[in-house]
Every structure is written in C-alpha cells, then in structure tokens.
Amino acid sequence: MEFLEIGGSEPFRSYWDMYLPKGRLLIFVVDSADHKRLPEAKKCLHQLIEQNPELPLVVFANKQDLEDAYHITDIHDALALSEVGNDRKMFLFGTQVTENGSEIPSTMQDARDLIAHLAANM
C-alpha cells in the first residue's frame, strides 16, 4: 500500500487535483483543537470530495487529548460530514498521541486495518 501525504497548506493545494483522481481513498486529518481553522477545513474537504462522490473518506480528528479539543461529534458537525453523500463510505476516528509516544493506540490500529481493507477492495 502506498500513501501520498500532500498537506493542506495553501501552497500544496494545487497538487490535490493532480493526485486525488488516482487515489483509492481520501484520508483527511484535522486538528480538533484548532477551532478557528475548522471552517476552512470543512470548505477544503467538501471541495475535494465533490470531485468523486464514491471515493471513501477517512477523517482523523487529531489531538483529542488536548483539553480544548472539540469532541468527535462536534468535529462531525463542524465538517458537515452528514452532507458527504449517501453513496460514500465515511469513517471518523478520534486520534491522539500516547503518553510515551511509542505505542500505537487501538483506534489507530483499527483505522490502519480499515484503510487496508478499503484499499484492497477498491
């Protein structure tokens, strides 16, 4: 399985159109504690997925361990994930760094298994 991480900063967005059509699924990572950027993340996410209404979507709501992080249901609402389409497989995971940083949280193990399954069946 190959992954291509492009990034969401403005200078990298021009690459999205080049690589997204070749993708088997979209993994979108959002900072759960950066409340001010969630509207921009929502806009970018919906621009990306409108190009392919059947592309599976995996969203990682990162930094769930921070005190000011939005809860997973708030991330779902902030990104308007209920509007991604009925034909699309969509999954939302809360993620965070473990205390010692060396172990893989069970949520990430589940996400890894799901991504491998989705990629193999596309």
Side-chain angles (χ1 to χ4, degrees):
M1 198 173 354
E2 293 181 30
F3 289 90
L4 175 64
E5 192 274 325
I6 298 175
S9 299
E10 189 68 40
F12 299 108
R13 293 180 189 171
S14 62
Y15 293 106
W16 291 355
D17 291 334
M18 185 182 339
Y19 291 104
L20 189 62
K22 300 173 189 174
R24 292 184 171 195
L25 65 116
L26 174 63
I27 301 171
F28 193 84
V29 182
V30 64
D31 183 339
S32 300
D34 193 348
H35 305 176
K36 291 185 285 186
R37 291 189 61 202
L38 283 172
E40 179 183 5
K42 172 188 169 187
K43 178 183 171 191
C44 290
L45 173 62
H46 285 265
Q47 286 174 343
L48 284 167
I49 62 175
E50 74 182 6
Q51 298 174 28
N52 184 342
E54 295 181 9
L55 184 69
L57 172 64
V58 177
V59 177
F60 289 132
N62 200 18
K63 301 184 184 178
Q64 287 289 301
D65 55 323
L66 299 182
E67 188 173 315
D68 59 342
Y70 275 170
H71 188 269
I72 199 85
T73 55
D74 299 322
I75 295 295
H76 185 279
D77 293 342
L79 296 178
L81 294 178
S82 59
E83 300 172 13
V84 300
N86 294 333
D87 295 330
R88 182 185 316 279
K89 294 177 184 173
M90 193 278 299
F91 305 90
L92 174 60
F93 290 92
T95 61
Q96 65 191 45
V97 174
T98 58
E99 282 188 31
N100 66 12
S102 64
E103 59 190 63
I104 299 174
S106 62
T107 304
M108 292 306 294
Q109 292 174 9
D110 293 343
R112 178 191 62 200
D113 294 343
L114 171 70
I115 290 166
H117 175 76
L118 289 170
N121 292 306
M122 293 301 299

